[in-house]
Amino acid sequence: MSDSSSLESIDSILETHIPPDKLKEVHRILYGGVPETLPLTDVQKSSANDLDLELKGYVFTAEPEQLRPPRLVRIGLVQNRIVASTDASVREQMSALHQRISDIVGIGAKAGVQIICFQETWPMPFAFCTRERLPWSEFSESAESGPTVRLCQRLAKTHSMIVITPILERDDETQLLWNTAVVINESGTIIGKSRKNHIPRTGDFNESTYYMESELGHQVFNTTYGKIAINICYGRHHPLNWMMFGLNGAEIVFNPSATIGSLSEPLWAIEARNAAIANSYFVAAINRVGTEIFPTEFTSGNALPAHKDLGEFYGSSYVAAPSGQRCPGLSRTRDGLLIAQLDLNQCRQVRDRWGFHMTARYSLYAQELNDYVNGHR
């Protein structure tokens, strides 16, 4: 197997080896053209450099309209590796990540970010490969009053920013675990939560050992800055999952993930962009970074020798627009903050231009799905 850990990004390869006069056409074909760069101040860049944080920004525009002003919103996507080793105490691991994310959010606030989203279950290592209950279940917390949620409420209120915080939830009443994203508005108030709709059962992704599929459906949250939804990780492989968020009115769908190169990297650049095109909304795809080594070896019934890591999380977070345009991704190997300014008017403009919603056959799909579900095939 080739070593991909030294590959910073596909974009860096393109920029290094393709002449500038050809690169623009390559970007047009691959990315629908690269959006304009969002100006960032020297102070913001210096602050990011002090944190060893990659900082990028892009602007997605819409056509000017006569009756509607631009609907501009600035979003932030955070990708990061764990800070403390997995054999440190639960409190030490979580506290180190809390501090790291707080520092990154501060940089986002200085750059005018209005909605920020972190990677899947960010306050902990992605330990579900191990199938061990302790200590990993101790990272779980209440979606109403847990330490990570309280921290994000403070960050949201301090920076007047909507915060989407994916956590391992421990339900207050049933004590069951869920893979959850809590949505906090700019005043620090919890406005809802979304749970993971699809749970993988492949390779070392042993997540159903800990939690099962959500029963909350496809919530869309109407916020000050637009209608947002969260499609957690493995749900990106299911086109109907994406479709339901669109039918429920989403304008931006965040996809916080934790996925590894050996499993999904060839799919990564395709799926979020396809969803944006098919459903006429923006998609923010976020993935964690690094290789997490666990204290005890594990196997997963897949004929592989016992091992201590899930694999390399390859970052590469990016934003895709309804038009099919996407920005270059963040690094495969570094912590990063990607800032994107979106004009949400593009959602309706693209829907009108392509007519995907108008020409869809929802009643026909519904009837045939009903027949399939009920065994009338």
Side-chain angles (χ1 to χ4, degrees):
M1 181 181 296
S2 62
D3 178 17
S4 63
S5 61
S6 61
L7 178 60
E8 181 69 19
S9 69
I10 294 297
D11 299 298
S12 65
I13 297 295
L14 295 176
E15 292 168 5
T16 299
H17 296 285
I18 298 179
D21 60 324
K22 301 291 186 184
L23 184 60
K24 184 175 182 180
E25 184 67 3
V26 170
H27 279 152
R28 182 190 69 82
I29 296 169
L30 290 181
Y31 291 169
V34 173
E36 297 177 13
T37 300
L38 179 70
L40 298 167
T41 68
D42 290 340
V43 172
Q44 292 159 6
K45 294 175 183 177
S46 177
S47 297
N49 187 60
D50 290 343
L51 291 179
D52 190 20
L53 181 78
E54 182 184 24
L55 180 63
K56 286 186 175 182
Y58 296 96
V59 177
F60 292 84
T61 60
E63 294 296 324
E65 298 186 19
Q66 296 185 40
L67 300 181
R68 287 197 307 173
R71 298 179 58 222
L72 303 182
V73 57
R74 195 167 289 193
I75 66 173
L77 289 62
V78 179
Q79 65 175 44
N80 61 279
R81 62 183 64 239
I82 58 174
V83 179
S85 65
T86 60
D87 57 1
S89 71
V90 170
R91 191 180 303 278
E92 182 182 350
Q93 291 184 64
M94 184 177 285
S95 296
L97 282 165
H98 281 187
Q99 185 60 58
R100 178 64 169 164
I101 291 301
S102 297
D103 291 342
I104 294 173
V105 170
I107 293 177
K110 292 176 182 177
V113 169
Q114 295 161 307
I115 308 174
I116 199 163
C117 185
F118 313 127
Q119 64 203 22
E120 182 181 16
T121 61
W122 70 268
M124 64 178 292
F126 205 73
F128 311 114
C129 51
T130 68
R131 299 196 302 271
E132 298 167 343
R133 295 304 193 277
L134 294 176
W136 316 119
S137 61
E138 294 184 81
F139 284 92
S140 63
E141 60 182 275
S142 165
E144 285 73 40
S145 59
T148 301
V149 175
R150 292 199 304 270
L151 168 69
C152 290
Q153 287 182 284
R154 293 194 297 271
L155 292 172
K157 187 173 183 178
T158 297
H159 300 299
S160 298
M161 182 189 300
I162 294 171
V163 175
I164 302 168
T165 177
I167 61 169
L168 178 63
E169 177 192 2
R170 173 82 69 177
D171 186 272
D172 289 334
E173 295 184 6
T174 67
Q175 293 298 300
L176 292 174
L177 298 177
W178 300 94
N179 189 318
T180 300
V182 180
V183 183
I184 301 165
N185 72 12
E186 66 274 24
S187 68
T189 301
I190 297 170
I191 60 174
K193 63 186 178 185
S194 186
R195 290 172 174 162
K196 193 169 184 175
N197 281 329
H198 299 274
I199 309 300
R201 293 164 176 83
T202 181
D204 287 330
F205 285 81
N206 299 310
E207 296 171 54
S208 59
T209 304
Y210 299 84
Y211 46 77
M212 296 298 285
E213 289 81 5
S214 171
E215 296 177 352
L216 298 180
H218 299 81
Q219 302 102 310
V220 173
F221 303 95
N222 194 1
T223 75
T224 303
Y225 305 116
K227 297 178 180 178
I228 64 174
I230 305 96
N231 181 11
I232 301 175
C233 197
Y234 193 72
R236 73 180 177 278
H237 302 306
H238 293 266
L240 291 180
N241 199 45
W242 289 111
M243 182 183 74
M244 291 309 303
F245 290 117
L247 293 181
N248 288 340
E251 296 171 306
I252 312 169
V253 179
F254 293 87
N255 177 226
S257 300
T259 186
I260 57 173
S262 61
L263 179 69
S264 66
E265 195 162 12
L267 309 179
W268 179 253
I270 301 169
E271 290 174 309
R273 190 178 177 201
N274 280 355
I277 295 167
N279 298 288
S280 301
Y281 52 50
F282 289 92
V283 176
I286 308 161
N287 188 26
R288 67 170 61 200
V289 176
T291 301
E292 300 170 357
I293 310 297
F294 296 97
T296 306
E297 290 185 333
F298 57 88
T299 61
S300 297
N302 54 8
L304 294 177
H307 45 287
K308 290 188 174 184
D309 69 276
L310 177 60
E312 182 194 9
F313 299 104
Y314 53 83
S316 306
S317 304
Y318 71 97
V319 174
S323 64
Q325 186 183 45
R326 59 153 288 186
C327 66
L330 289 176
S331 166
R332 297 179 68 260
T333 60
R334 295 181 61 199
D335 289 9
L337 171 61
L338 175 62
I339 301 171
Q341 180 171 292
L342 318 177
D343 188 341
L344 298 183
N345 281 352
Q346 189 187 130
C347 298
R348 193 173 79 178
Q349 290 177 6
V350 170
R351 179 174 287 198
D352 288 348
R353 183 182 309 128
W354 278 100
F356 293 149
H357 186 71
M358 180 183 68
T359 58
R361 304 290 302 281
Y362 297 118
S363 59
L364 180 63
Y365 308 153
Q367 181 59 56
E368 294 187 11
L369 281 169
N370 183 68
D371 290 345
Y372 178 83
V373 169
N374 290 292
H376 305 304
R377 285 171 275 176

